[in-house]
Every structure is written in C-alpha cells, then in structure tokens.
Amino acid sequence: MSELTVCAPLAFEAWALRRGLAGSGGGIRVVRTGYGPKRAAAAAVRIAASSPDMLAVAGVGGALTDDLQVGDIVVASQVTDGTTTVECGSAALLAGELRRAGLRVQTGPIATVDRLLRSGQHPELAANGAIAVDMESAPLLAGAGGIGAGGIPAVVIRAISDTPGRPVVSPSIVTGGIAALRSLRQAAPALARWAAAVGPRQVLLASPRSFCAGVERAIEIVELALEQYGAPVYVRKQIVHNATVVADLEQAGAIFVDELSEVPDGANVVFSAHGVSPEVRTEAARRGLATVDATCPLVAKVHAEARRFASDGYLVALIGHAGHEEVEGTLGEAPASMALLESIADVGRMQPADPSKVAYLMQTTLAADEAAGIVSAITDRFPSATGPGSDDICYATTNRQRAVRAIAAESDLVLVAGSANSSNSQRLVETAERAGTKAYLVDRAEDIQLDWLVGTKAIGIAAGASAPPAIVGQIVAALSGLGEVRTKDVVVATESVQFGLPKELRQRSAGSADDN
Ligand code: SF4
C-alpha cells in the first residue's frame, strides 16, 4: 500500500494536521520537518532516503495579495525559492475538494523565502506572480522528490495566518494563527482523499471533441461585433452553453440577457447559436434594434423544415427537450402546427387532424439512439410519417457521441468537459453511461471529485461541442499531477466543416480591410 508523507514544518502545524487526519485510515505519516529553508532542506534529504510514494507539505503561510483573508487556504500551483521551481499539477483537484469541504480556497504560486517578510516586501514578491509565502515548501519538494522534478506526486497547502494588512509581526498574529490552524485541521482530510486518488493512468482522448463549427462561428460573431461596434454588445441568452466561454466574452464587454426587454433602445444585439423564434425577430425589428444572428446554420435548417412542413399542412412533431432554447425557437416557427415529443409516451398523445400528414424533426443535439426509439414509435403509429431530408442531429453531435462510445469501451471512468446546461454535453454523459461506464460532466478540472478517481487505471475524456479545448488540457494536466499519464487519441472522425459569417459582419470586415 502506498504511503502519503505529510511534511509539517512546525510542531503546532503537525498537531493540527494529525487531529484533522484522525479517522482518515492508515497509509499517512505526518513528519515534523523544522522551521526555515535550511532545516527543510535537511529534512528533505532524510525523507528522500525513505523513498516516499507521495508528498504533501502543509502548514501556515502569509498572504501576498489583499484578496486573501486570514483562515483562507492557498493550494500551490507551483512553489519556488527563486532558483528552484516545482510544479504541483494536481492543485486544481485538491482546491476543488477543499472548496466542496466549505473552505475558502485560492490556487496560485507560493514563494519560499529565507526570513520573515518585513512590511513593504509583499508587493515585490507578488509582482512575480506569487500569492502566498512560506519558508519551507520549495526545498522540501525539490529535495524530497516532488513531481515537478520528474519525481513523485506532491501538493502544498498553506493556511493563511497573516496578510499585507495584518503582518506577521503584529498583535493580530495570535488570532491569525488560531484561524489558520483551524483551517489546516479542516483541510487535512482532503489530503487523505488526494492520496487515495494518486496513481499512474492511461488517458483516452475522444476525438472529435470540443468546439464545433457552429460554436466557433457564434463566438467569432460576438468577438467581431465587439470589435466593430464596440462594447457593450448585448447577447440574447448564452451565446453557447458554456460558463467559461460566457465569462470570457463578458470580460471582453458582452452583456448576456434573457429577453430583448433587457436590451436598451439603440443597442446592438446578437442572437445565440441556438436560434430564436420569429416572434423574437419581430420584436427586435419593432424596437429598431441592430441585430446579428449567430444561429447555427444547422439549427436554421431545422427551422426551415418546420416552416415547410407546417405550410404543407403537416402536424410537425419536434423530438427534443422542453425548455431548451433551440426547441423553443424551433417551436416558435409554427406553434399551432407543432407538438413537442420528449419520450415515446408522448407519441401516444399526438392528435393529428389527418394521420397521413405527420412529420417529425429533431433537436440537433439529441442522443441518436434515444431519438431513434421515438422515431420508430412515430412511424409505428403513423406509417406515412415523414422525416427531415437529412438527419437533424448534427454532424458534431453524432461524431462526439461516436467518440465517447469508443473511449467508454476502454475506460473505467469518463469525464465529459461541458456545462450543466449544455444539451450535447449531457448527452455525452448519458451515452457513456449507456455503454456501461461511469461518467461525469465537469465544467473545469476543479469539478472532478477525487473519490471518482480512486482505483481508476484508464480515464476517458470527452468534451461537448461548446466546451473550450483548453479545459481538456487542464484536466489532463491535473491528472498528470497524480502520477504518470499516458495519453491516447481515439479518433472516430475528422471534421472540416466551416460556416460563413452573417452578412452584417462580412460587410463590416470588408469595409475595415478597405480602410486600411
Ligand atoms: S452542435 Fe451542431 S447544431 Fe449545435 S452549434 Fe454545433 S454544429 Fe451547430
């Protein structure tokens, strides 16, 4: 059985950690390593001689930035003493675990210094990117074999006892120290859970994954609108269903609203990739709003099919999920002639005026196997029912579902990068589960719960069409902090689809190019 060595520089830190770890089971030893970098370096030599399986350094530390408070926990993304830097790849995983335990947590570099900071020294260290300071972590990790040196998995946590506003040499150090030790004790069980998740793994990367052509186009439309019209640009609904994408565009000056009533007169507004009903377009025109339509062309195709079938006198069954923006927009094309079907049971409730005039369409992001069951129930009941000319479930959804099925077959666990409101990402989780593999949806690496990873040897990673590719990189990096990771791309298709921009932005782009 592997053992976690927890390095606690001072006696009171070791005491708090032992109390916090009581009841966490065996396989953990807390070692008092001594105060300051020299004692830490000497302790590291002794620890290295015992060939530790994994390391944690835990103690109190000082904040370098004003947004950290006494009692907060800093999880080191790296530790450095200016000459040696050790990366702590799994910081995001431990930080997520600590947040879920109710602690206030920040992740960032920790600087190891050789003497207590004097007042006024904080900005100098913070300018190099460090958010907290200690006197032992860098020599402990570097000397004892932390993973950044090609060695064993390692983490560092520091509970904040002093801040730039409450320096270490001040009367508040006693209360600060007590608060920090309390947090350290509360944080300790997460170190045990981190240790249980440590191990080498194979990572299977589903391909294709992440952005599809419709999502890339929608994001580019908002970016171009910001560039060409200036901030703010209003976007009706989330441009695509991903929290990171939305946060990044908000930073750039986009304002996301639920309804046009929230958009001021005279503003520029972008319609999201999921499409809008004719009623929304009419309202925008009535108010004289300048609109740019980021509806994915493949969603627009389903709208056109709905209009065509409805005008030919069909009852149009839309297979999809109630409340999803794409479904609301499509139903809005012919509300009196359309019915939403969410399940096979809904087929029995259809009441067409003419049973020979039934058509069906689909939300673009459905699970193919689920939709097939509903289609066959429709054609069983209405043998002459007619469907779309080509499949409504789009190429990106189909490819990502095939890819997740391929990795699920070889994985103990599948992680799907995507937001909870992303339909296609949710379908990837369900597809992996239907293949018999445990699967979870995660917006970012921090969302991965350490107990999901315990005992896993092969982890599949997929990403919904709205999830940025960088998230997958962050997840792989976080898993690499738990032990050696061998990655394998499982490619089921290659994609080369691209969509053109709406004419408003094309004209503007051409105009600005001419101006230059
Ligand atoms: S998932 Fe499909 S329909 Fe949706 S934006 Fe991407 S390409 Fe378009």
Side-chain angles (χ1 to χ4, degrees):
M1 182 185 170
S2 298
E3 185 181 63
L4 168 65
T5 302
V6 182
C7 305
L10 302 176
F12 57 82
E13 292 165 331
W15 171 81
L17 288 161
R18 286 194 185 103
R19 284 197 63 194
L21 286 165
S24 291
I28 303 172
R29 65 174 178 140
V30 178
V31 180
R32 202 186 135 198
T33 51
Y35 174 73
K38 283 199 181 130
R39 289 190 183 88
V45 172
R46 293 194 298 276
I47 291 167
S50 68
S51 303
D53 301 306
M54 58 195 118
L55 286 174
V57 178
V60 302
L64 291 173
T65 61
D66 290 325
D67 53 347
L68 277 166
Q69 300 169 33
V70 162
D72 288 1
I73 296 282
V74 172
V75 181
S77 55
Q78 61 169 222
V79 291
T80 181
D81 59 7
T83 49
T84 309
T85 299
V86 183
E87 302 292 333
C88 304
S90 60
L93 301 175
L94 183 58
E97 203 72 12
L98 291 166
R99 282 208 183 97
R100 286 187 290 277
L103 288 151
R104 286 192 313 265
V105 181
Q106 287 197 34
T107 306
I110 291 182
T112 295
V113 295
D114 56 8
R115 57 176 60 92
L116 290 177
L117 289 193
R118 291 188 309 278
S119 157
Q121 281 185 305
H122 299 83
E124 200 182 310
L125 282 165
N128 292 330
I131 63 169
V133 66
D134 68 19
M135 295 178 69
E136 297 90 8
S137 294
L140 275 171
L141 283 202
I147 202 162
I152 57 175
V155 282
V156 175
I157 59 169
R158 290 287 178 176
I160 296 302
S161 62
D162 56 273
T163 65
R166 292 174 55 150
V168 68
V169 188
S170 75
S172 59
I173 190 57
V174 176
T175 51
I178 291 169
L181 288 177
R182 192 184 306 124
S183 296
L184 199 58
R185 179 164 53 79
Q186 288 169 359
L191 294 176
R193 294 198 290 280
W194 172 82
V198 161
R201 290 181 176 88
Q202 178 166 51
V203 166
L204 302 154
L205 297 167
S207 183
R209 59 180 177 272
S210 292
F211 289 169
C212 60
V215 164
E216 278 179 351
R217 174 180 178 268
I219 295 169
E220 189 182 358
I221 285 172
V222 178
E223 288 169 347
L224 281 174
L226 282 164
E227 200 178 299
Q228 296 183 5
Y229 306 135
V233 162
Y234 287 80
V235 183
R236 184 185 176 276
K237 308 286 184 188
Q238 291 192 348
I239 185 72
V240 301
H241 286 156
N242 186 270
T244 305
V245 170
V246 168
D248 288 350
L249 290 173
E250 273 175 340
Q251 281 277 328
I255 296 178
F256 292 89
V257 295
D258 270 333
E259 296 305 338
L260 288 184
S261 56
E262 299 165 59
V263 179
D265 289 340
N268 294 289
V269 59
V270 177
F271 294 146
S272 81
H274 308 101
V276 294
S277 67
E279 197 184 346
V280 174
R281 291 180 199 282
T282 307
E283 167 68 4
R286 188 188 63 73
R287 291 202 37 216
L289 297 172
T291 61
V292 185
D293 190 358
T295 303
C296 175
L298 300 183
V299 174
K301 177 179 83 88
V302 182
H303 281 235
E305 287 163 346
R307 288 194 297 272
R308 178 169 62 84
F309 280 128
S311 71
D312 288 349
Y314 283 83
L315 171 67
V316 188
L318 177 64
I319 305 170
H321 295 283
H324 190 277
E325 285 143 36
E326 180 187 325
V327 166
E328 286 176 353
T330 311
L331 287 174
E333 289 290 350
S337 309
M338 295 187 75
L340 175 64
L341 303 186
E342 290 193 274
S343 64
I344 289 175
D346 288 343
V347 177
R349 288 188 270 275
M350 288 173 70
Q351 294 184 323
D354 177 354
S356 71
K357 298 216 79 170
V358 170
Y360 60 87
L361 301 174
M362 294 171 206
Q363 186 179 342
T364 56
T365 49
L366 291 186
D369 40 6
E370 194 188 354
I374 300 178
V375 168
S376 105
I378 294 171
T379 50
D380 281 354
R381 186 164 168 218
F382 307 107
S384 58
T386 179
S390 58
D391 273 356
D392 285 338
I393 298 177
C394 78
Y395 78 96
T397 301
T398 308
N399 287 344
R400 280 153 190 72
Q401 287 174 15
R402 281 178 58 210
V404 85
R405 224 174 275 123
I407 57 165
E410 297 180 54
S411 304
D412 305 314
L413 165 74
V414 170
L415 299 171
V416 177
S419 289
N421 61 344
S422 162
S423 169
N424 78 86
S425 304
Q426 293 278 13
R427 302 294 85 76
L428 293 180
V429 172
E430 292 164 7
T431 303
E433 286 172 342
R434 272 199 289 277
T437 308
K438 252 191 211 150
Y440 297 100
L441 186 66
V442 292
D443 237 326
R444 53 205 178 129
E446 275 204 12
D447 295 343
I448 300 168
Q449 297 185 24
L450 289 167
D451 62 355
W452 299 346
L453 307 178
V454 176
T456 57
K457 300 267 181 280
I459 294 183
I461 302 180
S466 48
I471 307 281
V472 172
Q474 287 159 15
I475 293 172
V476 174
L479 294 175
S480 305
L482 295 174
E484 189 195 349
V485 160
R486 285 166 295 116
T487 56
K488 181 173 122 186
D489 259 298
V490 178
V491 183
V492 301
T494 49
E495 294 177 345
S496 55
V497 177
Q498 282 185 324
F499 298 127
L501 292 169
K503 63 178 183 323
E504 303 85 344
L505 294 175
R506 279 202 309 266
Q507 281 160 1
R508 286 278 190 146
S509 291
S512 1
D514 290 348
D515 293 345
N516 293 331

